[in-house]
Amino acid sequence: EAAVTQSPRSKVAVTGGKVTLSCHQTNNHDYMYWYRQDTGHGLRLIHYSYVADSTEKGDIPDGYKASRPSQENFSLILELASLSQTAVYFCASSDMGTDYTFGSGTRLLVI
Amino acid sequence: KTQVEQSPQSLVVRQGENCVLQCNYSVTPDNHLRWFKQDTGKGLVSLTVLVHENDKTSNGRYSATLDKDAKHSTLHITATLLDDTATYICVVGDRGSALGRLHFGAGTQLIVIP
């Protein structure tokens, strides 16, 4: 079954440390996205990618980097984690139309 | 500025009752609107997508309407079950292709009690 799989499911990171969130999709979708969800707010777009080896900035890219080494894989990197980056992070993939598939999320706590 | 507003923020209903969730938006252009269900600690699962002016969709006990003139959508849940307890998120896409952006509402938290 086509899916979007995120790892880890949850993580505790130390302020100033490096964090890498991984996403793998089997939908054969060209487009992949990273969003963050904060309590009481809608999801916000961090980075996205149209094709392997290329990434684009979303609405809130500061403090985050992204990497798309293949069509199936899309990573979100926090080089220097900060307290404000505590959130739930969702990866998604889509086709050219309206078909979006979301992962189950990664709960990140920065202490 | 929030472009997708959902109401109510939270809602408690008894099992078997019907409920209606509202979504008002200011996104332009409004290519499509999708309702997602998010169980606590889980990802977003699509319930339905509306594309055309005055679209109406039905998916089991879930039905939705879209009024593009009013930039308003409703999600109706009939004969609620305990498993309907979740957050329901309204999302508006501003273009048909993935080149567009998705605009997310903050969600309506529905709690179904016995």
Side-chain angles (χ1 to χ4, degrees), chain B residues 41-100:
Chain B
K42 299 292 177 63
L44 283 66
V45 176
S46 178
L47 295 175
T48 189
V49 60
L50 303 113
V51 178
H52 305 293
E53 172 64 38
N54 294 323
D55 245 1
K56 293 181 181 179
T57 62
S58 181
N59 177 12
R61 293 180 298 103
Y62 300 102
S63 60
T65 65
L66 174 62
D67 181 342
K68 283 197 171 185
D69 278 345
K71 291 188 180 290
H72 177 75
S73 175
T74 60
L75 177 68
H76 298 248
I77 307 175
T78 58
T80 52
L81 303 172
L82 297 178
D83 283 348
D84 290 333
T85 294
T87 297
Y88 292 82
I89 298 174
C90 172
V91 183
V92 180
D94 60 17
R95 277 170 180 74
S97 77
L99 293 174

Side-chain angles (χ1 to χ4, degrees), chain B residues 13-14 19 25-26 56 60 68 77-78 83 86 92 100 102 111 114:
Chain B
V13 299
R14 289 199 180 278
C19 64
Y25 62 91
S26 57
K56 293 181 181 179
K68 283 197 171 185
I77 307 175
T78 58
D83 283 348
V92 180
L102 297 183
I111 299 172

Side-chain angles (χ1 to χ4, degrees), chain A residues 13-19 78-82:
Chain A
V14 177
T15 304
K18 182 177 181 178
V19 177
L78 290 66
E79 294 279 4
L80 296 169
S82 66

Side-chain angles (χ1 to χ4, degrees), chain A residues 32-105:
Chain A
M32 296 189 74
Y33 313 82
W34 276 106
Y35 293 90
R36 69 175 276 172
Q37 184 179 40
D38 297 279
T39 303
H41 296 278
L43 273 69
R44 291 180 292 170
L45 182 63
I46 306 170
H47 285 287
Y48 60 103
S49 170
Y50 300 138
V51 67
D53 295 321
S54 177
T55 64
E56 306 289 337
K57 293 181 179 180
D59 298 322
I60 52 165
D62 293 345
Y64 302 94
K65 289 172 57 178
S67 173
R68 182 93 181 269
S70 64
Q71 186 197 40
E72 297 81 15
N73 296 293
F74 191 36
S75 297
L76 185 68
I77 303 151
L78 290 66
E79 294 279 4
L80 296 169
S82 66
L83 297 175
S84 64
Q85 293 178 311
T86 291
V88 180
Y89 292 85
F90 286 97
C91 177
S93 72
S94 76
D95 60 9
M96 282 288 291
T98 63
D99 180 22
Y100 283 79
T101 304
F102 284 82
S104 298

